[in-house]
Amino acid sequence: MMSLSNHFANAQDLAPVNGVHDNRSTRYAFVHANIVDANQNLHDATFIVKDDKIEAVGNNITIPKDATIIDLKGKYIYPSFIDVYSNYGMAASLRTDKSQYEQMLSKKRGAYYWNQAIHPEIDAAQNFSRDANAAKAFRSAGFGAVLSHQQDGIARGSGCVVSLNDETDSKIILKEKASAHYSFSKGISSQDYPASLMGSIALLRQTYYDADWYKHSADKKEINLSLEAFNDLQNLPQIFEAEDKLNCLRAAKIADEFKVRYWLKTNGNEYQRINEISSQSGIAGLIVPLVFPKVYDVSEPLDAMNISLTDMMHWEDAPFNLYFISKKNIPFAITYQGCKTSTEFFSNLRKAIKCGLDTSLALKALTTVPAKMLNIENEIGTLQKGKIANFLICSSKIFDDKNIIYQNWVKGKNYILKDNGFKDLRGVYALTMADFNNTQIFVKGSAASPEFQITNYELRKENSKIDTVKLKCSSSLNQNLITFSFNYPKDTSKATYRFSGVMNDSTWTGQAQKPDGNWVTWSAIFLHNIEEKKDSAKNSKVKKVENHSFQEGQVPKIKYPFNAYGNDSLPTKNNYLIRNVNIITNETDSVLAHYSVLVINGKISNIAKNIIMTDNLVFPNGLQEIDGTGKYFSPGIIDEHSHIAINGGVNEGTQSVTSEVRIGDVVNSEDINIYRQLSGGVTAAHLLHGSANAIGGQTQLIKLRWGQSPENMRFAGAPGFIKFALGENVKQANWGDNSITRFPQTRMGVEQVYINAFTRAREYEHLSDGSKTSDKKKHRTDSFKESDRNLLRTDLELEPLVEILHSKRFITCHSYQQSEINMLMHVADSFHFKVNTFTHILEGYKVADKMKTHGVIGASTFSDWWAYKFEVMEAIPYNAALMTKVGLNVAVNSDDAEMGRRLNHEAAKAIKYGDLTEAQAFKLCTLNPAKMLHVEKFVGSIAVGKDADVVLWSAHPLSVYAVVEKTFVDGICYYDKQQDEQKREWIKTERARLIAKMLQAKKDGEAAQAATKEAESEYSCGHD
């Protein structure tokens, strides 16, 4: 009888019932079960569920009289899984504004943030609607609850935890506001900004500052519902869709800046930068999908050439991702997202386990880790008294290859995944029925999918010998209900017998309909198990099953970077003595013939005619001697204007002023062009924003430390720069008829952009106590501090401009025509700052004298480019020499990934075009760009105490016959010609091995994907 309290509890429905109330309470007792969760492993135990809660768990438990007893002898009970990254029940995000014209401002109505990609006010619980088909797919993969959110935008709003049962929406929401969500993707926003990865990062960073200002400032004069919602979500778990391994590091950097910790949703390539990811304090944990790349169809040799070795290696190594994560003790949860079926999910999960993932960690990643992350561990995640009855009934251990999940109980309701899950029907049964004698039912197949066969022993053939007839049946099972039918005998197609019955342990009983339509009773009694006969001939042809047990020796060696030319480990500093070499020091105009150079701990230690090493000199890292006879030794080449090694777009051209974006946020340490340029003697590159807007983004000077992380590639001690631009690109000439709304559209308007921007910067500067750049403001662009919380709203767009006004940041300006060059110098004089560098500057020869008067530090130009668009019609190849002879500091730049590895040849052209000396010409790509970038105290020449960013050449570097033999950065050899040749041989061998492995995988039945080539992103601005 139902208790009074339960009666009252079940009567508290908000909605009226159209019909009769069903207030019955249910209680189940599962006996003789193996009960396993992250905290317990019980054998022959009892598990009692009342309604939607777990009532008791353990051994020797008294079973209530009203309980329905279910015998699970040999079966297992596990907690249902929890997915922390889904969009279950969320309507698809659709872009409503499909206009092709530029959209500068938000079109969202209401008191919301200025940018449509920032919408933290989105409430998942308000938008949730149960999806029966999606819930069924989740349940089939073992999940009982999911965290769901609208997967759109940069600040995405809140997530809610929902149960995967089929009650009303209001009853299956377990936690209304459970998490806050972010990404680097602006989603369906029709607003132009942001259009690049660095723009997304800048927008999110500005949102944090705006939200903090809105929260603490008493001076605000507006209501902003987005910022209010953003602040309200900060105490919840913060979940960030980072996807790529480098984006994990970028998200972690934002977390550190704003004192938050993110759970990062990844894409499965984290293992390639696991050392860096594991060291990030801003990462609370990882949410990892079980999606591995399909094998490539490389059966056609020419198609195989389309697949990079990087992609091949990832195909082989991706299943080890969770092993590497677990070895670094990084908390992680596993998500179903990305898997199309439950079969794929479990197949990949078992593959990860065979590749080293511990099964106990796998179970935690699907149960207790997500429950604890979402602060719902008191409700779900383990099998304890009082918790919600979300559990699985399995045939064996959950991750065993042949395990079957029979049932998934969600909130106490049974969802059958495999019919007749509790009974193994396989065996031989004696059938008793009118008109049938000496007939047996053979049940073979698998426990989950049995196959029925009827055998009769009394059919006599013409020779009067006793023989048998074997008839295969069609059958279906539904818990303890069984139906099957067969045609008998074979030659009478209409002679169909149809059976329906109930299974009670070893006895089946029911009714059967004969071919004539009459009904009779039937029964079947279990006789014995089927004895399988071994077919030795057949078994001899069966392929030997490979042993998949994990061994540490199977772990792949990760290359740094994860690239064909990567290293098995990061190269380390060594000490070098290069003897009898010809040194181009750039300190003097002459070549020091037959000299020696000593490199100790990454620095130039000594330069002498003959360096004598005494016995008392001890080098902890050893000393490697290099014979430089007949070779040349020079400073490394510095590319003042480069666009290599950038992720997610080089232009944030959506607004005229985007000084808040930073190339340093999007450095791509994996770019093969880094290695290629090392092979050309380049040791440092100045990575620039594009030329799509008047004031572009902040630049980043990097050293080409091949294999290091993006952060470790930064040139320490280098001052900040920013990219400005003049000319056709800025006013959107030739951008098309849809690009007609962004100001400016004329060259006159470009000047006004600069005047307006620096006027605003001055006003911004004086908002804080009427002083110049305060210490507080100076730090705002670098870190988020409690001390920053004052009345001034931190404006990341204006901060760099204030730095320019005080010579704390320098300008490099894309330029062509003399009129615009003069204009910008005039604006600079008006605001009392200097233009540090005019880059391209193809009409520099016309205004070199004025540039020198203005105090321009550098002019970085092309060697012999002209006539590739209208505004460079008057460019000449003598430009570099003419500006040099006026007294300007001149460099040649690449603006092109290919040209970047032959800047020595570009510099040599100035000897032909303008009669520069060899010393002057070589400085165009070494010392002069170092001076432009204010790093000449570190690099650019060979002098005692300077960084050992140096190159060993086979001949004079201005010769077209010169080949780079070794390139050193900080005394570390990042390129070696002999090692490069060895790598090329290894690449051939490794590709052949992986192609053979892929061919075999496809032959073994793995689904294959087409071998299509992905284009590499390479950026430039000089010829756009």
Side-chain angles (χ1 to χ4, degrees), residues 51 64 69 74 323 379 445 478 485 554 563 575 617 645 708 731 791 811 820 841 957 988:
D51 298 329
I69 299 175
Y323 167 79
E379 298 182 68
N478 184 4
S485 62
Q554 293 177 249
N563 182 292
N575 303 310
L617 291 176
Q708 296 286 352
K731 67 185 186 67
L791 298 180
I811 297 168
E820 291 188 303
I841 192 71
K988 293 178 184 177

Side-chain angles (χ1 to χ4, degrees), residues 183-201:
S183 81
F184 287 139
S185 171
K186 77 176 192 180
I188 65 167
S189 169
S190 56
Q191 201 168 345
D192 284 20
Y193 184 90
S196 65
L197 175 58
M198 58 183 164
S200 295
I201 294 171

Side-chain angles (χ1 to χ4, degrees), residues 281-326:
S281 60
I283 298 178
L286 304 179
I287 302 170
V288 186
L290 283 171
V291 181
F292 305 142
K294 292 181 179 179
V295 63
Y296 292 95
D297 185 354
V298 291
S299 51
E300 169 56 54
L302 292 177
D303 287 345
M305 294 176 65
N306 289 329
I307 307 304
S308 70
L309 185 56
T310 299
D311 289 339
M312 289 185 177
M313 292 190 301
H314 180 53
W315 167 75
E316 183 177 50
D317 295 348
F320 290 90
N321 185 47
L322 282 168
Y323 167 79
F324 281 105
I325 291 171
S326 64

Side-chain angles (χ1 to χ4, degrees), residues 109-126:
R109 298 179 64 181
Y112 297 107
Y113 199 62
W114 69 273
N115 192 281
Q116 291 176 196
I118 303 295
H119 42 72
E121 66 276 4
I122 297 295
D123 189 319
Q126 292 182 6

Side-chain angles (χ1 to χ4, degrees), residues 606-727:
N606 194 6
I607 305 169
K609 189 72 176 177
N610 185 25
I611 298 176
I612 300 174
M613 307 304 297
T614 60
D615 293 337
N616 61 346
L617 291 176
V618 178
F619 302 100
N621 297 331
L623 180 69
Q624 181 178 341
E625 291 197 28
I626 299 173
D627 182 5
T629 303
K631 305 183 191 315
Y632 281 77
F633 194 71
S634 79
I637 291 172
I638 301 170
D639 191 350
E640 186 277 335
H641 186 133
S642 177
H643 298 292
I644 66 167
I646 295 174
N647 275 141
V650 73
N651 269 308
E652 185 52 68
T654 52
Q655 298 174 169
S656 297
V657 179
T658 58
S659 44
E660 72 279 2
V661 305
R662 307 173 188 175
I663 292 292
D665 288 335
V666 291
V667 172
N668 177 14
S669 57
E670 318 294 300
D671 188 354
I672 187 60
N673 286 303
I674 297 171
Y675 183 77
R676 290 171 180 164
Q677 295 199 5
L678 282 166
S679 74
V682 181
T683 56
H686 191 205
L687 309 186
L688 270 60
H689 185 279
S691 58
N693 34 358
I695 300 179
Q698 300 167 43
T699 69
Q700 183 61 55
L701 181 62
I702 64 170
K703 289 194 175 190
L704 304 190
R705 301 179 178 114
W706 180 237
Q708 296 286 352
S709 68
E711 202 64 26
N712 288 339
M713 296 185 75
R714 291 174 179 263
F715 195 127
F721 271 72
I722 191 169
K723 174 73 174 292
F724 281 23
L726 304 167

Side-chain angles (χ1 to χ4, degrees), residues 747 816-824 843 847:
R747 295 179 191 265
Y816 289 113
Q817 295 187 328
Q818 63 172 328
S819 60
E820 291 188 303
I821 296 166
N822 286 329
M823 175 272 288
L824 184 57
E843 290 190 15
V847 290

Side-chain angles (χ1 to χ4, degrees), residues 274-286:
I274 196 64
N275 292 331
E276 291 86 355
I277 289 173
S278 65
S279 66
Q280 303 301 313
S281 60
I283 298 178
L286 304 179

Side-chain angles (χ1 to χ4, degrees), residues 640-641 643 688 691 723 726 729 812-816 821 837-844 859-863 865 868-869 872 875 879 883 891 893-895 1020-1024:
E640 186 277 335
H641 186 133
H643 298 292
L688 270 60
S691 58
K723 174 73 174 292
L726 304 167
N729 298 352
T812 179
C813 183
H814 167 109
S815 56
Y816 289 113
I821 296 166
T837 306
F838 280 104
T839 187
H840 304 328
I841 192 71
L842 293 186
E843 290 190 15
S860 183
T861 188
F862 294 128
S863 59
W865 289 23
Y868 53 86
K869 61 179 178 177
V872 296
N879 189 41
M883 290 191 294
N893 65 61
S894 71
D895 191 25
S1020 65
C1021 76
H1023 47 278
D1024 291 346

